[in-house]
Amino acid sequence: MTEPAVVLDHVAVRFQANGSAIHAVGDVTISVADNEFLALIGPSGCGKTTLLKLVSGLVQPSGGAVTVYGGTAAQARRKRLCGLVFQEPALLPWRTVEANVRLVAEIIGRRANVQELVELVGLSGFERAFPHELSGGMQQRVGLCRALAFDPPILLMDEPFAALDLLTRETLSAELLRIWETRRKTVLFVTHSIPEAVLLADRVVVLTQRPSRIVDVVAVDLPRPRSAEVEESPAFAALVRRVKDLLRTTQDRAVR
Ligand SMILES: Nc1ncnc2c1ncn2[C@@H]1O[C@H](COP(=O)(O)OP(=O)(O)OP(=O)(O)O)[C@@H](O)[C@H]1O
Ligand SMILES: [Mg+2]
Protein backbone atom coordinates (compact mmCIF):
# COMPACT_ATOMS: atom_id res chain seq x y z
CA MET A 1 0.00 0.00 0.00
CA THR A 2 1.30 3.45 -0.83
CA GLU A 3 2.02 5.90 1.93
CA PRO A 4 -0.80 8.35 2.71
CA ALA A 5 -0.26 11.91 1.51
CA VAL A 6 -1.44 13.51 4.75
CA VAL A 7 -2.10 12.14 8.21
CA LEU A 8 -3.69 14.15 10.98
CA ASP A 9 -3.32 12.16 14.18
CA HIS A 10 -5.42 13.44 17.10
CA VAL A 11 -4.64 17.00 16.12
CA ALA A 12 -5.72 19.86 18.37
CA VAL A 13 -5.18 23.61 17.97
CA ARG A 14 -5.55 26.30 20.62
CA PHE A 15 -4.89 29.94 19.79
CA GLN A 16 -4.02 32.69 22.24
CA ALA A 17 -5.80 35.89 21.28
CA ASN A 18 -6.13 39.05 23.43
CA GLY A 19 -5.29 37.14 26.57
CA SER A 20 -7.92 34.45 26.05
CA ALA A 21 -7.55 31.01 24.54
CA ILE A 22 -9.57 29.86 21.53
CA HIS A 23 -9.88 26.13 21.19
CA ALA A 24 -10.26 25.90 17.40
CA VAL A 25 -9.59 22.25 16.61
CA GLY A 26 -10.68 19.73 19.25
CA ASP A 27 -9.46 16.35 18.14
CA VAL A 28 -9.19 15.50 14.45
CA THR A 29 -7.82 12.26 13.08
CA ILE A 30 -7.87 11.52 9.35
CA SER A 31 -5.62 9.91 6.81
CA VAL A 32 -5.74 11.30 3.26
CA ALA A 33 -4.62 8.83 0.59
CA ASP A 34 -2.22 9.78 -2.16
CA ASN A 35 -4.26 11.20 -5.08
CA GLU A 36 -7.39 11.44 -3.00
CA PHE A 37 -9.81 14.34 -3.34
CA LEU A 38 -11.02 15.15 0.15
CA ALA A 39 -13.63 17.81 0.86
CA LEU A 40 -13.98 19.46 4.28
CA ILE A 41 -17.24 21.01 5.31
CA GLY A 42 -18.41 22.45 8.62
CA PRO A 43 -19.85 25.53 10.34
CA SER A 44 -18.09 28.88 9.98
CA GLY A 45 -15.26 29.25 12.49
CA CYS A 46 -14.93 25.52 13.17
CA GLY A 47 -11.28 25.40 12.11
CA LYS A 48 -11.27 24.36 8.44
CA THR A 49 -8.75 27.00 7.37
CA THR A 50 -6.72 26.12 10.44
CA LEU A 51 -6.60 22.47 9.34
CA LEU A 52 -5.21 23.47 5.94
CA LYS A 53 -2.68 25.76 7.63
CA LEU A 54 -1.56 22.83 9.79
CA VAL A 55 -0.85 20.76 6.68
CA SER A 56 1.00 23.65 5.03
CA GLY A 57 3.12 24.21 8.17
CA LEU A 58 1.75 27.73 8.77
CA VAL A 59 0.17 26.73 12.10
CA GLN A 60 1.60 24.33 14.67
CA PRO A 61 -0.64 21.81 16.43
CA SER A 62 -1.05 22.20 20.19
CA GLY A 63 -1.53 18.45 20.39
CA GLY A 64 -1.23 15.43 18.12
CA ALA A 65 0.82 15.16 14.95
CA VAL A 66 0.68 16.17 11.29
CA THR A 67 2.52 14.04 8.73
CA VAL A 68 2.91 14.91 5.05
CA TYR A 69 4.31 12.13 2.85
CA GLY A 70 6.00 10.61 5.88
CA GLY A 71 7.71 13.85 6.99
CA THR A 72 6.73 16.87 9.05
CA ALA A 73 4.66 19.74 7.69
CA ALA A 74 7.74 21.96 8.01
CA GLN A 75 9.72 19.61 5.75
CA ALA A 76 6.88 19.55 3.25
CA ARG A 77 6.88 23.33 3.29
CA ARG A 78 10.58 23.49 2.52
CA LYS A 79 10.10 21.01 -0.32
CA ARG A 80 7.09 23.00 -1.61
CA LEU A 81 4.85 19.95 -1.62
CA CYS A 82 1.70 22.00 -1.08
CA GLY A 83 0.08 24.56 -3.34
CA LEU A 84 -2.18 26.91 -1.40
CA VAL A 85 -5.33 28.50 -2.72
CA PHE A 86 -6.65 30.46 0.21
CA GLN A 87 -9.76 32.55 0.84
CA GLU A 88 -7.58 35.66 0.57
CA PRO A 89 -5.27 35.15 -2.40
CA ALA A 90 -2.49 37.41 -0.96
CA LEU A 91 -1.10 38.49 -4.32
CA LEU A 92 1.97 40.71 -4.49
CA PRO A 93 0.55 44.16 -5.36
CA TRP A 94 3.64 45.27 -7.28
CA ARG A 95 3.63 42.24 -9.57
CA THR A 96 1.41 41.84 -12.61
CA VAL A 97 -1.00 38.91 -12.98
CA GLU A 98 1.56 37.06 -15.08
CA ALA A 99 4.38 37.68 -12.57
CA ASN A 100 2.18 36.64 -9.63
CA VAL A 101 1.29 33.37 -11.35
CA ARG A 102 4.96 32.69 -12.05
CA LEU A 103 6.02 33.53 -8.48
CA VAL A 104 6.42 30.17 -6.75
CA ALA A 105 7.46 28.34 -9.92
CA GLU A 106 10.20 30.97 -10.29
CA ILE A 107 11.41 30.52 -6.71
CA ILE A 108 11.81 26.77 -7.13
CA GLY A 109 13.16 27.01 -10.68
CA ARG A 110 10.28 25.30 -12.44
CA ARG A 111 8.89 26.37 -15.78
CA ALA A 112 5.25 27.32 -15.79
CA ASN A 113 2.95 27.63 -18.74
CA VAL A 114 1.48 30.90 -17.55
CA GLN A 115 -0.43 31.63 -20.73
CA GLU A 116 -2.24 28.30 -20.65
CA LEU A 117 -3.21 28.74 -17.00
CA VAL A 118 -4.38 32.31 -17.45
CA GLU A 119 -6.57 31.20 -20.34
CA LEU A 120 -7.86 28.27 -18.31
CA VAL A 121 -9.29 30.56 -15.64
CA GLY A 122 -10.61 33.11 -18.13
CA LEU A 123 -8.13 35.92 -17.43
CA SER A 124 -6.69 36.31 -20.92
CA GLY A 125 -6.01 39.96 -21.65
CA PHE A 126 -5.27 40.71 -17.98
CA GLU A 127 -1.74 39.27 -17.91
CA ARG A 128 -0.20 42.71 -17.41
CA ALA A 129 -2.80 44.03 -14.98
CA PHE A 130 -1.95 44.60 -11.32
CA PRO A 131 -3.99 43.01 -8.51
CA HIS A 132 -5.69 46.31 -7.53
CA GLU A 133 -7.08 46.50 -11.06
CA LEU A 134 -8.91 43.17 -10.65
CA SER A 135 -12.16 42.19 -8.95
CA GLY A 136 -12.08 39.89 -5.91
CA GLY A 137 -13.08 36.88 -7.99
CA MET A 138 -10.41 37.63 -10.57
CA GLN A 139 -7.78 37.86 -7.82
CA GLN A 140 -8.95 34.50 -6.52
CA ARG A 141 -8.46 33.01 -9.99
CA VAL A 142 -4.91 34.39 -10.08
CA GLY A 143 -4.34 32.65 -6.74
CA LEU A 144 -5.57 29.39 -8.26
CA CYS A 145 -3.21 29.77 -11.23
CA ARG A 146 -0.28 30.47 -8.94
CA ALA A 147 -0.87 27.21 -7.05
CA LEU A 148 -1.26 25.19 -10.25
CA ALA A 149 1.75 26.83 -11.92
CA PHE A 150 4.39 24.95 -9.92
CA ASP A 151 2.54 21.63 -10.12
CA PRO A 152 2.74 20.56 -6.45
CA PRO A 153 1.59 17.05 -5.45
CA ILE A 154 -0.84 18.46 -2.85
CA LEU A 155 -3.35 21.24 -3.37
CA LEU A 156 -4.80 22.89 -0.26
CA MET A 157 -7.86 24.81 -1.40
CA ASP A 158 -9.83 27.05 0.93
CA GLU A 159 -13.17 28.00 -0.63
CA PRO A 160 -11.34 28.74 -3.86
CA PHE A 161 -14.51 29.43 -5.84
CA ALA A 162 -16.48 31.29 -3.18
CA ALA A 163 -16.18 34.74 -4.76
CA LEU A 164 -17.08 33.57 -8.27
CA ASP A 165 -20.31 33.71 -10.21
CA LEU A 166 -22.12 30.40 -10.74
CA LEU A 167 -21.00 29.77 -14.32
CA THR A 168 -17.34 30.57 -13.67
CA ARG A 169 -17.55 28.37 -10.60
CA GLU A 170 -18.91 25.48 -12.67
CA THR A 171 -16.27 25.93 -15.36
CA LEU A 172 -13.45 26.05 -12.84
CA SER A 173 -14.62 23.06 -10.81
CA ALA A 174 -14.89 21.01 -14.03
CA GLU A 175 -11.39 22.18 -14.92
CA LEU A 176 -10.09 21.35 -11.46
CA LEU A 177 -11.50 17.81 -11.82
CA ARG A 178 -9.82 17.46 -15.20
CA ILE A 179 -6.47 18.62 -13.77
CA TRP A 180 -6.86 16.31 -10.79
CA GLU A 181 -7.69 13.36 -13.03
CA THR A 182 -4.82 13.92 -15.44
CA ARG A 183 -2.07 15.10 -13.08
CA ARG A 184 -3.13 12.98 -10.10
CA LYS A 185 -2.89 15.31 -7.17
CA THR A 186 -4.00 15.04 -3.58
CA VAL A 187 -6.56 17.74 -2.89
CA LEU A 188 -7.88 19.03 0.44
CA PHE A 189 -10.79 21.23 -0.50
CA VAL A 190 -12.75 23.40 1.94
CA THR A 191 -16.19 24.53 0.84
CA HIS A 192 -19.54 25.63 2.25
CA SER A 193 -21.34 24.19 -0.78
CA ILE A 194 -22.57 20.64 -0.20
CA PRO A 195 -23.26 19.91 -3.92
CA GLU A 196 -19.77 21.17 -4.79
CA ALA A 197 -18.22 18.87 -2.15
CA VAL A 198 -20.20 15.85 -3.39
CA LEU A 199 -19.49 16.57 -7.06
CA LEU A 200 -15.74 16.88 -6.58
CA ALA A 201 -14.67 14.66 -3.71
CA ASP A 202 -13.91 11.01 -3.03
CA ARG A 203 -14.85 11.61 0.60
CA VAL A 204 -16.54 14.47 2.42
CA VAL A 205 -15.44 15.16 5.99
CA VAL A 206 -18.13 16.82 8.11
CA LEU A 207 -16.84 18.78 11.08
CA THR A 208 -18.58 19.98 14.25
CA GLN A 209 -18.60 23.49 15.66
CA ARG A 210 -15.40 24.67 17.35
CA PRO A 211 -13.52 22.93 18.93
CA SER A 212 -13.96 20.77 15.86
CA ARG A 213 -14.17 17.04 15.67
CA ILE A 214 -15.19 14.86 12.75
CA VAL A 215 -18.91 14.06 12.82
CA ASP A 216 -18.58 11.57 9.98
CA VAL A 217 -16.76 10.92 6.74
CA VAL A 218 -19.07 10.33 3.77
CA ALA A 219 -17.64 8.22 0.95
CA VAL A 220 -18.80 9.51 -2.44
CA ASP A 221 -19.05 6.42 -4.61
CA LEU A 222 -20.30 8.19 -7.74
CA PRO A 223 -18.59 7.10 -10.97
CA ARG A 224 -15.84 9.22 -12.52
CA PRO A 225 -15.28 11.20 -14.62
CA ARG A 226 -18.16 13.18 -13.17
CA SER A 227 -20.11 15.46 -15.41
CA ALA A 228 -23.05 17.74 -14.86
CA GLU A 229 -25.41 14.77 -15.44
CA VAL A 230 -24.18 13.15 -12.24
CA GLU A 231 -25.78 16.04 -10.37
CA GLU A 232 -29.19 14.98 -11.69
CA SER A 233 -28.90 11.43 -10.36
CA PRO A 234 -30.80 10.12 -7.32
CA ALA A 235 -27.50 8.87 -5.85
CA PHE A 236 -26.13 12.41 -5.94
CA ALA A 237 -29.24 13.79 -4.24
CA ALA A 238 -29.03 11.11 -1.54
CA LEU A 239 -25.40 11.99 -0.78
CA VAL A 240 -26.21 15.71 -0.60
CA ARG A 241 -29.04 14.92 1.80
CA ARG A 242 -26.78 12.78 3.94
CA VAL A 243 -24.15 15.52 4.28
CA LYS A 244 -26.86 18.09 4.99
CA ASP A 245 -28.33 15.90 7.75
CA LEU A 246 -24.89 15.49 9.30
CA LEU A 247 -24.34 19.26 9.20
CA ARG A 248 -27.70 19.77 10.91
CA THR A 249 -26.56 17.61 13.82
CA THR A 250 -23.64 20.03 14.35
CA GLN A 251 -26.12 22.89 14.71
CA ASP A 252 -28.28 20.95 17.15
CA ARG A 253 -25.21 20.49 19.29
CA ALA A 254 -24.49 24.23 19.26
CA VAL A 255 -28.02 25.07 20.43
CA ARG A 256 -27.88 22.73 23.38
N1 LIG B 1 -4.12 33.19 14.20
C1 LIG B 1 -5.20 33.09 14.97
N2 LIG B 1 -5.20 33.61 16.22
C2 LIG B 1 -6.26 33.49 17.02
N3 LIG B 1 -7.40 32.85 16.70
C3 LIG B 1 -7.46 32.32 15.47
C4 LIG B 1 -6.37 32.39 14.54
N4 LIG B 1 -6.74 31.75 13.40
C5 LIG B 1 -7.99 31.31 13.60
N5 LIG B 1 -8.44 31.64 14.84
C6 LIG B 1 -9.73 31.25 15.42
O1 LIG B 1 -9.88 29.86 15.27
C7 LIG B 1 -11.22 29.53 14.90
C8 LIG B 1 -11.21 28.75 13.61
O2 LIG B 1 -10.82 29.59 12.55
P1 LIG B 1 -10.77 29.12 11.03
O3 LIG B 1 -10.36 30.29 10.24
O4 LIG B 1 -9.94 27.91 10.94
O5 LIG B 1 -12.29 28.73 10.79
P2 LIG B 1 -13.02 28.25 9.44
O6 LIG B 1 -13.66 26.96 9.73
O7 LIG B 1 -12.08 28.31 8.31
O8 LIG B 1 -14.17 29.36 9.28
P3 LIG B 1 -14.84 29.96 7.92
O9 LIG B 1 -15.77 28.89 7.42
O10 LIG B 1 -15.59 31.15 8.43
O11 LIG B 1 -13.74 30.31 6.99
C9 LIG B 1 -11.97 30.84 14.84
O12 LIG B 1 -12.68 30.99 16.05
C10 LIG B 1 -10.90 31.89 14.71
O13 LIG B 1 -11.29 33.08 15.36
MG1 LIG C 1 -11.97 29.50 6.65
Side-chain angles (χ1 to χ4, degrees):
M1 234 181 86
T2 52
E3 170 182 65
V6 176
V7 180
L8 302 178
D9 184 15
H10 292 290
V11 163
V13 179
R14 287 171 200 272
F15 290 110
Q16 290 296 331
N18 308 321
S20 63
I22 292 176
H23 195 175
V25 179
D27 182 350
V28 170
T29 295
I30 184 122
S31 176
V32 189
D34 195 25
N35 300 332
E36 181 171 12
F37 200 125
L38 189 85
L40 298 162
I41 205 158
S44 178
C46 78
K48 302 177 296 296
T49 299
T50 303
L51 288 174
L52 296 191
K53 286 186 174 168
L54 278 168
V55 177
S56 64
L58 295 171
V59 163
Q60 305 303 317
S62 323
V66 179
T67 311
V68 183
Y69 286 119
T72 63
Q75 286 168 333
R77 192 163 179 221
R78 279 194 293 277
K79 291 191 216 158
R80 305 266 178 190
L81 296 184
C82 298
L84 316 179
V85 189
F86 275 2
Q87 283 169 305
E88 298 295 325
L91 306 174
L92 297 180
W94 59 87
R95 284 191 150 220
T96 61
V97 164
E98 203 170 51
N100 264 292
V101 171
R102 233 186 293 113
L103 184 68
V104 187
E106 213 169 79
I107 293 169
I108 62 174
R110 209 168 283 173
R111 281 176 62 89
N113 193 341
V114 175
Q115 197 52 47
E116 189 188 314
L117 287 167
V118 166
E119 268 169 39
L120 183 80
V121 300
L123 285 177
S124 299
F126 289 92
E127 293 85 345
R128 291 177 196 285
F130 288 92
H132 76 271
E133 297 169 311
L134 306 177
S135 72
M138 290 161 92
Q139 292 185 27
Q140 229 180 4
R141 283 181 271 162
V142 178
L144 175 64
C145 282
R146 183 180 51 191
L148 293 173
F150 70 103
D151 206 20
I154 300 176
L155 281 177
L156 304 175
M157 311 187 80
D158 198 353
E159 300 182 49
F161 306 143
L164 306 177
D165 65 274
L166 188 68
L167 288 183
T168 311
R169 196 174 174 135
E170 279 182 3
T171 310
L172 282 188
S173 52
E175 207 44 61
L176 175 63
L177 273 186
R178 195 188 59 78
I179 290 167
W180 173 78
E181 269 153 18
T182 51
R183 298 199 196 163
R184 303 307 295 173
K185 290 181 185 303
T186 304
V187 183
L188 273 70
F189 188 98
V190 170
T191 179
H192 283 291
S193 162
I194 302 175
E196 185 171 78
V198 172
L199 179 69
L200 297 174
D202 294 316
R203 290 189 295 163
V204 180
V205 175
V206 182
L207 296 157
T208 65
Q209 301 266 12
R210 174 166 66 81
S212 50
R213 290 166 183 276
I214 294 177
V215 183
D216 207 351
V217 181
V218 178
V220 182
D221 47 5
L222 300 170
R224 291 191 188 268
R226 292 185 194 151
S227 58
E229 287 122 60
V230 172
E231 290 178 78
E232 311 296 324
S233 71
F236 184 89
L239 284 161
V240 167
R241 212 163 31 241
R242 165 119 186 86
V243 175
K244 200 181 269 179
D245 288 345
L246 287 168
L247 267 177
R248 284 217 182 91
T249 66
T250 72
Q251 281 179 350
D252 295 345
R253 251 170 248 179
V255 174
R256 254 180 260 142

